[in-house]
Amino acid sequence: MTISEKNVRICDKGHKYYKSSDCPTCPICEQERKPDHGFLSLLSAPARRAFEHNGITSLQQLSTYSEKEILRFHGMGPASLPKLRTALQENGLSFKN
């Protein structure tokens, strides 16, 4: 098993954090950006960014996509689907067939 070396980084807002990958995302900024309510608050940061990148900010917009289409987004994984299905159902919506 290899141990990845973490490098210290400082984001534009001055947060100091450690990363072992080339990912430029500051985890502190991501936590600050996390919504307090709504379906996006249920998701991980990569899944949330995938929706934001694709312009999906409401359940109505989400309901125009199929599950297969959603899973093609970079950052989306199958673990998010049950949360999304539930959020849609609670609002009388569903994924496109």
Side-chain angles (χ1 to χ4, degrees):
M1 183 165 145
T2 61
I3 298 173
S4 58
E5 187 176 321
K6 293 187 177 188
N7 299 309
V8 67
R9 298 196 187 165
I10 300 174
C11 75
D12 294 339
K13 290 187 174 180
H15 300 130
K16 190 178 198 180
Y17 62 98
Y18 294 87
K19 283 274 183 135
S20 58
S21 70
D22 291 334
C23 176
T25 305
C26 169
I28 300 165
C29 289
E30 279 299 310
Q31 189 61 37
E32 289 175 353
R33 287 182 64 244
K34 185 175 182 174
D36 293 330
H37 60 282
F39 83 102
L40 291 175
S41 68
L42 306 172
L43 303 174
S44 66
R48 196 170 55 252
R49 286 192 304 268
F51 282 129
E52 291 168 353
H53 177 76
N54 287 282
I56 302 171
T57 58
S58 71
L59 288 170
Q60 289 75 17
Q61 291 170 319
L62 177 61
S63 69
T64 65
Y65 291 84
S66 70
E67 290 184 17
K68 284 185 179 183
E69 290 171 321
I70 294 297
L71 288 173
R72 287 188 199 121
F73 295 162
H74 178 75
M76 279 301 303
S80 296
L81 288 179
K83 296 174 188 176
L84 295 172
R85 277 189 219 109
T86 299
L88 286 166
Q89 287 172 352
E90 288 174 350
N91 287 274
L93 299 168
S94 64
F95 281 109
K96 179 178 85 173
N97 290 326

